[in-house]
Amino acid sequence: ATPRRPLFFRWRILLKWFARKAALTSEIFERLTSAAKKRAFRIAGVDNARLIQAVRNQISAAVEKGTTWPDVRKRLTKLFSATGNEMPRLSHMRQVFITNTQMAYNDARREVLDEQASVFPYWQYLTVGNGTAGVNGVRPEHAALHGLIFRSDDPFWDAHYPPWGFNCRCTVVALTPGQVKGLEQPVRNVSYVRSKLGIQADPDFDRSGEPDLSKIDAELRRALEEMLDES
């Protein structure tokens, strides 16, 4: 069996990855390719690059220390006040915080689950509701996936591994072949989701493909250089 590495091992890797995300203004961000956008950090409505970087650092520290949103909110409020900038709506800042922390946690967890695929080759998709749209605020597309089982290597997960939308609170449970048999449910695939359920991916959260990171990094460097030239 594949040896299990503790979650904190991958957690550290994700923290370093998050800390290296390029802090860009919205104008620069929108000109990037989709692949490069996934490695960049921006705040809609904020054009001060140093401030964006400071916010990114605050979120990165919160991820590492497990800081809750109320504490982060206080720090961000002081940060914007000290720089003389107006902070975006608290609801928007909370969404920035939740989206980034959830993606860091779930991507780290997925790496661990991938290493355990020989023992748990199936994953079940679960929402915070019961499969009924609207329960606990679950949107229809996510509710339709509640309880469905897929192979861990099915392309479905590239586009729908949580979070695959803003404020997505869904999760994944790893299952053995015996557990799947006991549940007496069919194993679905990405074709079923697209053709039968009509659910498509959110391009902002699509993890499919193997992008050339060297090209992405070069693109981000050019964007940062351009931003510095304009400042």
Side-chain angles (χ1 to χ4, degrees), residues 40-176:
F41 178 86
R42 63 93 179 245
I43 305 172
V46 179
D47 296 321
N48 185 315
R50 293 185 182 276
L51 180 56
I52 296 172
Q53 184 174 16
V55 172
R56 181 206 61 189
N57 292 344
Q58 286 287 346
I59 294 178
S60 179
V63 171
E64 181 174 12
K65 299 176 182 178
T67 308
T68 61
W69 164 244
D71 288 333
V72 174
R73 180 188 62 205
K74 293 177 183 178
R75 294 177 184 179
L76 293 181
T77 299
K78 291 181 180 179
L79 178 62
F80 275 85
S81 177
T83 58
N85 288 270
E86 182 179 356
M87 187 166 75
R89 296 190 312 274
L90 283 176
S91 59
H92 175 65
M93 295 305 298
R94 182 174 182 271
Q95 179 173 288
V96 170
F97 171 73
I98 290 176
T99 298
N100 281 278
T101 52
Q102 282 183 334
M103 290 193 74
Y105 172 80
N106 283 296
D107 283 352
R109 184 169 183 264
R110 182 176 181 179
E111 288 200 34
V112 174
L113 292 180
D114 280 336
E115 290 188 346
Q116 300 173 7
S118 61
V119 179
F120 301 96
Y122 299 96
W123 295 349
Q124 184 177 37
Y125 187 102
L126 296 176
T127 68
V128 295
N130 60 5
T132 302
V135 174
N136 291 330
V138 176
R139 66 204 82 179
E141 295 84 356
H142 296 230
L145 299 174
H146 180 77
L148 297 187
I149 299 171
F150 303 83
R151 287 194 58 85
S152 62
D153 57 358
D154 193 285
F156 164 81
W157 297 112
D158 291 334
H160 302 287
Y161 188 90
W164 61 282
F166 291 107
N167 295 324
C168 173
R169 297 159 293 159
C170 301
T171 189
V172 170
V173 174
L175 301 171
T176 65

